[in-house]
Each structure stands twice: as structure tokens, then as C-alpha cells.
Amino acid sequence: MKQSRIVAAAFCLVAVAVIAFSAYRLVNIGRQETSYEISVVLNNSSSDRWIAFKEGLEQGAEDYSIHLNIVTTADLEDLEDEVAILEREVANGAEGIIVQLCASSGAEMLLQGWNSSVALVLVETDAEPAGTYAAALPDNESMGEALARAAADDAGGSLSGKTIGILAGNQEQLAMQQRLEGFTQAVSDAGGEILWTLEKKEASLEQVAEQQADRHADILVSLENDETERAVDYLLSAGEDGILLYGVGCSEKNVYYLDKGTITGLVVPNEFNMGYQSVALVAQRLEDRKTERAEIGYILVDKETMYNEESQKVLFPIVQ
């Protein structure tokens, strides 16, 4: 009797082991056995505007068997220097690159000799001519239009009689050019007047203050995350009441000041999805599946709508 119990127990252990192994095989079927080495090059990589994006990268890396190397960078201002970073990463064994280009014009010429065996995916902004490379990016022209519509809606449906100052971001990037074009056209349609426009290299707090002193705008609009933070800093330092701020952003600082009411309306790209889709595109191109584009969605939020379910999923994807 004792021996039969031992045999039965042994049989059960073997059965459990077989079931566990089979379940493991089923769960992992179709997954990559080889982990690709992918480098990620972003402007000012330690900025908290990339928090959700990096979470998306990490989730994608887990799902697609990718090993990520996020390159430490400060502000990237020279395209040739950035391409040199990409070439260094390839020389060090990167099989794919995810990159936010600091400039779009001239990128095709610098990248035309790119090793086709190394997958290249652009994020947020495209190269010129647009569509040359795989890219994960939002509809930037539509985002600019959304800012103008938000301002017009808050003003009763028209911007007639309203004056606007623009912090236009890095206009060497195609994304910022498209946002500015979408915004200015929508403002014109709504009857608003643009008093001044500052590009990133010009938009210090002092220069914003000078512009406002010379040509005071009722509404400030910022087209990218850092410029929205700079506009917030200006409003806090100037102590002016009644100026409305609409901007693009996703950092904790911008979300905080949206909640505080300093920012009236915020366009937030789905950065988590942009990170995830960037990894998916790299994996697909390494597997010779030539998927070229992934359009990333965005939301428009204000103090009242930032805590609804849809907004929460985009603003705080880490805690979902």
C-alpha cells in the first residue's frame, strides 16, 4: 500500500510537470527567441516628458523580445551630431534605432546611406520628404487645429477681437511646422489675430516678457511640451490675470498646472502608445514586414475633463 502511494505521488508530480511545461510552451508560442538590440535617441532623454513614452517602450520591449538602450542625451540641436550618435550606436551593435530627429530638413540626405539591415523608426516628427522612413507620430497639423478650436470654443465660438502670442517650438522639426500651420490657419478661420511668434531658440522668459510688453496678447499658445512649461513659468512670474494658455504637453509639470488652472487647455499625445508602437515598428521591420506608419492619437483636456476615464488613460497610463 505504501509503495503504491509513492508511485501515485510520483505519477502526479510528473503529470504536473508535463502540464506546466505545456502551458509554458503555449504561452510563449510565437515569441521571439532572440532579443534584438535597439537604441533609442531622444532630445533631452532625462526629461519627464518622456516618462509615459518610456513606459510604452518597456511594454513593447517585453512583448516583442527587445533589449532597449536609451541613450543619455542633453538638448540636441545639430542634426549632424545626432546622426553621428546613431552611427555610433550601430557600430556598437544596435540592430535598430528609434529616434526623435532634432531637425527634419536635410535628414534624408544625411540618412540616405543608412544601412538597410538596421531598422530605423522616427518618433513624433518626420523627415523631409515626409514618409521616407517608418514613423510613429501624431497628426501634428490636427493638433494645432485643436488648440485653435479650444480657444475659439472658450471664447464663444469665435476668436474675433482676440490677440494671440505663439511659442512655436523647434521649427526645424516638421512636426512643429505642421502644428504651427494647422494652428495659424484655424485661427485665421476663427477671426483671431496673431501678434507675435517665437521659435524655441528665441523663446526665453525675458523674450516672452518683452513681446508681451510690446504687443500684449490675450491668449498664449505653445506647440510643444517644453514651451508650454516655459509659458507657465512666464505666467507665474508675471503675475498677470486673464491671460489664457493653451498648449501641447504631457509632463507632470504641465498636468499639474492644468489642474491648477494656469493652463486652460492641453493637447496631450498618447505618448505611451507612441513608445509601444515605435518598438512594434522596429520589430516588424527586423522581420521584413515593411509597416511604415503608426498614427498616434491625442486628447484635448481641460481642468474639468482631465479626470474622466478617457483622459486618465492617456495622462496616467502607468497606473492603469
Side-chain angles (χ1 to χ4, degrees), residues 32 36 38-40 53-70 96-99 119-123 134-136 271-287 289 291 294 296:
Q32 297 280 352
Y36 294 117
I38 305 299
S39 293
V40 182
F53 179 82
K54 290 177 181 177
E55 289 289 329
L57 286 177
E58 291 173 6
Q59 183 61 60
E62 181 179 336
D63 290 349
Y64 286 94
S65 189
I66 296 290
H67 180 263
L68 292 173
N69 171 37
I70 299 178
I97 299 285
I98 296 170
V99 57
L120 181 65
V121 174
L122 311 183
V123 296
E271 297 268 321
F272 181 93
N273 191 38
M274 187 161 67
Y276 187 92
Q277 293 299 331
S278 299
V279 174
L281 286 170
V282 163
Q284 290 160 6
R285 291 178 73 80
L286 286 168
E287 296 165 4
R289 288 185 282 154
T291 305
I296 306 304

Side-chain angles (χ1 to χ4, degrees), residues 121-142:
V121 174
L122 311 183
V123 296
E124 188 177 53
T125 190
D126 211 337
E128 291 184 331
T132 305
Y133 300 96
L137 67 171
D139 183 338
N140 286 292
E141 186 173 349
S142 175

Side-chain angles (χ1 to χ4, degrees), residues 7-315:
V7 171
F11 177 80
C12 288
L13 287 173
V14 171
V16 169
V18 169
I19 292 170
F21 179 73
S22 298
Y24 174 82
R25 292 291 301 274
L26 285 171
V27 169
N28 288 277
I29 190 168
R31 285 192 176 183
Q32 297 280 352
E33 292 186 2
T34 302
S35 180
Y36 294 117
E37 295 289 331
I38 305 299
S39 293
V40 182
V41 180
L42 307 168
N43 183 53
N44 193 9
S45 59
S46 62
S47 169
D48 73 0
R49 70 138 294 183
W50 296 115
I51 290 176
F53 179 82
K54 290 177 181 177
E55 289 289 329
L57 286 177
E58 291 173 6
Q59 183 61 60
E62 181 179 336
D63 290 349
Y64 286 94
S65 189
I66 296 290
H67 180 263
L68 292 173
N69 171 37
I70 299 178
V71 179
T72 301
T73 62
D75 283 331
L76 299 172
E77 298 181 351
D78 187 281
L79 185 58
E80 291 190 14
D81 290 344
E82 186 172 19
V83 172
I85 294 173
L86 307 187
E87 292 172 344
R88 182 196 69 200
E89 292 303 306
V90 172
N92 289 339
E95 298 166 272
I97 299 285
I98 296 170
V99 57
Q100 180 207 35
L101 292 174
C102 65
S104 298
S105 180
E108 186 196 22
M109 183 175 295
L110 286 171
L111 296 171
Q112 63 185 355
W114 188 260
N115 184 346
S116 60
S117 67
V118 179
L120 181 65
V121 174
L122 311 183
V123 296
E124 188 177 53
T125 190
D126 211 337
E128 291 184 331
T132 305
Y133 300 96
L137 67 171
D139 183 338
N140 286 292
E141 186 173 349
S142 175
M143 288 169 63
E145 294 171 354
L147 288 171
R149 287 197 305 270
D153 288 345
D154 289 345
S158 170
L159 290 174
S160 179
K162 301 294 184 181
T163 55
I164 300 164
I166 306 173
L167 285 76
N170 179 5
Q171 284 295 307
E172 293 185 6
Q173 292 177 320
L174 186 58
M176 299 306 136
Q177 296 168 18
Q178 292 167 337
R179 289 180 195 178
L180 182 60
E181 181 180 356
F183 178 76
T184 54
Q185 182 58 57
V187 166
S188 176
D189 293 343
E193 179 185 3
I194 296 172
L195 294 183
W196 51 265
T197 301
L198 290 175
E199 296 186 18
K200 180 178 180 179
K201 58 187 176 183
E202 304 168 327
S204 66
L205 285 179
E206 292 78 12
Q207 288 165 325
V208 174
E210 287 177 10
Q211 291 293 331
Q212 279 292 83
D214 291 340
R215 294 171 290 176
H216 191 275
D218 306 316
I219 299 170
L220 296 183
V221 171
S222 49
L223 300 183
E224 57 101 358
N225 185 85
D226 291 353
E227 300 299 86
T228 302
E229 291 188 0
R230 185 170 291 111
V232 166
D233 291 341
Y234 165 73
L235 291 178
L236 294 177
S237 64
E240 293 188 66
D241 294 326
I243 299 178
L244 304 180
L245 170 59
Y246 299 85
V248 176
C250 57
S251 66
E252 291 180 358
K253 178 175 179 177
N254 283 328
V255 173
Y256 174 82
Y257 282 105
L258 176 68
D259 189 33
K260 290 293 184 182
T262 306
I263 299 173
T264 306
L266 193 65
V267 168
V268 186
N270 191 332
E271 297 268 321
F272 181 93
N273 191 38
M274 187 161 67
Y276 187 92
Q277 293 299 331
S278 299
V279 174
L281 286 170
V282 163
Q284 290 160 6
R285 291 178 73 80
L286 286 168
E287 296 165 4
D288 294 323
R289 288 185 282 154
K290 299 298 183 182
T291 305
E292 298 294 338
R293 320 287 287 178
E295 185 171 308
I296 306 304
Y298 65 87
I299 58 172
L300 172 64
V301 290
D302 56 27
K303 185 175 181 179
E304 284 68 42
T305 63
M306 66 181 293
Y307 288 105
N308 66 34
E309 184 176 355
E310 179 189 6
S311 300
Q312 289 285 290
K313 288 178 180 178
V314 176
L315 291 171

